[in-house]
Amino acid sequence: MNTKRLISAVAAGLAVAGLAFAGPAQAKVEGDTIILGSAISFTGKYSTNGIHAKNGYDIGVAKINSMGGVKVGGKSYKLKIQYYDDESTPLRTAQLLERLVNQDGVKYFLGPYSSATTKAAAPIIEKYKVPMIEAEGASRSLFNKGYKYLFAVLSTSEQYLASSIGLAAEIAEKNGKKPSEVKIAMAFENDPFSLDVRAGVLEDAKKYGMKVVIDDKMPRDLNDISSTLTKVKALKPDLLLLSGHSKGAATGARQIKEMKIDVPMIALTHCEAAKITTKFGASTNDFLCPTQWAPTLTYKDKYFGTAADYDKEFKKTFDGYKNVPYQSAQATASVLVWKDAFERANSLDPEKVRDAIAATDMETFYGGIKFAPEGNNIAKPMVLRQIQNGEYNVVAPSKWASHPVNWPRKAQ
Amino acid sequence: MWDNISILTAAPVFNIQLILDGLFIGSTFALAAYGLALVWGVMNVKNLAQGDFVIMGGYVAWWLGKQGIHPLWGLPVSIVVMFVFGWVVYVTIIRRVIDKDMFTSLLATFGLAIVLAQALNLMFGPEVQTAESDFAIRSYFDNSVTVADIKLVAFGLCGVLAVAVVLFMKNSRMGQAIRATAQDARAARVMGIDTDKVYAFTFSLNAAICGAAGALISMIWVIQPFYGIGHSIRSFVIVTAAGFGNLGGVIMAGLGLGVMEQYGGFVLGAEFQQACVVGLLVAVLIYRQLEMRRHRQVVQ
């Protein structure tokens, strides 16, 4: 009995030792493969978008590998991603990143999904000085903390609705009015993301001297904004802005229809996520909806071709997509940045690669990518689409517009 | 804030919109609150899952709407489904806690609320949903006041349901048994009333009433798995303000709460709309406390 116990104890000890040694063996570079790490949401409330992002990463990696991989120091490396499921909880994201760094030896990272989980990830990557290129955390609070190893390919949240202010000013001038005569009504949810969006709007409105006549904040469990909309009827603003994730878009679109709100220009975030065109039909026509990316944009690169080509290839690779979500496109773009940075650094040293990422200046199918010293992408604008007969068409900025903007909007 | 009040005095027509919207939604609040008052008064169970029953009823109507059945037909279906569901909950959970102290039943129904919200989230996803009636929308006073026909219909149906429940309680054998049990459960048992069956029926009736309220709310507002708590709080405020034996009081408090929310949202901003409800609860409790203290002094 005792010998048996001894044997099992020794076996257990060996197993533990084996695990300890197995850790470093799964290091940042295995033979001719560079391992990128990502803790991302496969389960929990972010799982839908987490899986969109994973598909984006995977198609990017497959593309680069099929085109010969990454060339560093005269040698070709393949890319591979080591994933963990963070269960949509920021605490878990942080734990898993520690694990990726300490046990798996990963030195290069792709981001999780959502601003909340990215916020939890940032201090870890700073602590270990390992670079992360993220594609799904838009909150501007990620880029005012002085992080050196965090880079984001997407536009930050304060830009989401700011473009509609520029468009309103443009239209006012075209109609012989001063931009400062434009009256704005807005309602934003009381959460970090939506308040970021609001900050961006206020900044731009101030630039043009526009007057904010309604500035309501919506509660987290909002199911009614009719009192705000009654104010809109009374004050007749020129521009109505709403942002409160999918529920804000759904509640807003429903009550705008029900109360026949007649404002010449209405812009709201999360139109597609809330599926407002299928739910509320023609009443959503001429709504303006910001997006990070659209397949009709004329951006292109040497990997995927144009945005439309990417769209086609993505749908061919993954079943069940009617529209390619921008979450996938930006995830793919962040993989392209990794390849570009490795090759420019011509080294696998995390510090050198980090400096190469910081100096990135490239065109992709997802748009231009160039990082500010704070790590956010300043080369790609947020584009504004308008719902025209149930279709989302790009109307601003005018350089990328595929359709003219319909103005004024008529209540239907 | 003063700007918003000046809008209402300068253009009084907007008061009509606020009052109408408040009355329409308030009628569904009153309905759910009446169910709570029933269970509270008869069984002395404070059902913290009240709002989740409402949301569940809403999902029944919404789901039927998605299958191509008009959500108004969802109303009777929701009533039946929720009645059966209420019975099952009574048999499996409530029966075991009904004669325990208050905290046991509070904890049990609170747990039930969490389980229901999560279950709805897993089944239907976290998105906000609405059941579309496709009824006309009328506008008056140069589009300053709009009334969706479905809201009028919902208001009418709330009235019909309230009358039906009152008649049932007054005239049917079961209604009489419920009232007898509420007055004195022991005496009712002595008189041969099966109080366990009465409790089961009362709890199921409450669930059915919530189902009806939820089906109407899904058509005139929006539903989401985690919105139950807001409806629970509203029901508690109304019942605390009106007391349980008092149907007229419940109706007045429900409608009043609806109107107050609209005015709160208009004058103070949307972020204070629900804060008004909680603020009112505090005010009612303070008032009740003062009233009781006076009463105690008189007795002394």
Side-chain angles (χ1 to χ4, degrees), chain A residues 45 48 187 190 213-228 230-236 246-248 250-251 254-255 257-262 273-275 279-280 411, chain B residues 4 7 14 17-18 21 127-132 134 137-139 143-146 148 150-151 218-222 224 226-227 229-231 234 261-262 265-271 273-274:
Chain A
K45 62 181 169 181
T48 318
N190 217 347
V213 291
I214 300 170
D215 182 10
D216 273 7
K217 293 192 193 68
M218 308 187 275
R220 200 168 272 267
D221 47 349
L222 82 140
N223 40 22
D224 178 32
I225 55 165
S226 58
S227 54
T228 304
T230 306
K231 264 187 277 189
V232 168
K233 275 188 179 175
L235 296 170
K236 299 197 171 29
S246 303
K247 55 190 173 194
T251 310
R254 168 167 200 155
Q255 296 193 322
K257 174 185 178 185
E258 215 167 65
M259 298 177 73
K260 297 191 176 173
I261 297 298
D262 192 6
K275 302 196 181 96
K279 277 186 194 155
F280 309 109
Chain B
N4 294 329
I7 296 171
F14 293 110
Q17 179 81 62
L18 292 177
D21 277 338
E127 287 84 24
V128 165
Q129 304 292 2
T130 67
E132 286 300 307
D134 293 320
I137 299 160
R138 294 166 204 279
S139 21
N143 200 30
S144 293
V145 174
T146 42
I150 183 64
K151 290 189 175 175
S218 75
M219 285 178 268
I220 64 174
W221 259 15
V222 294
Q224 202 253 4
F226 298 104
Y227 282 177
I229 180 80
H231 291 290
R234 289 185 182 102
E261 271 196 22
Q262 292 294 318
F266 190 94
V267 174
L268 301 170
E271 66 267 40
Q273 190 159 333
Q274 285 175 16

Side-chain angles (χ1 to χ4, degrees), chain A residues 56 71 85 96 168 200 208 217 246 266 296 304 335 346 361 365 372 378 382 386 397 403 406-407:
Chain A
K71 286 186 187 62
D85 173 17
L96 290 171
Y208 290 107
K217 293 192 193 68
S246 303
I266 297 179
T296 56
F304 287 96
V335 178
N346 203 20
D361 186 359
F365 74 91
I378 46 173
M382 208 62 200
Q386 188 168 45
H403 291 70
N406 287 345
W407 189 93

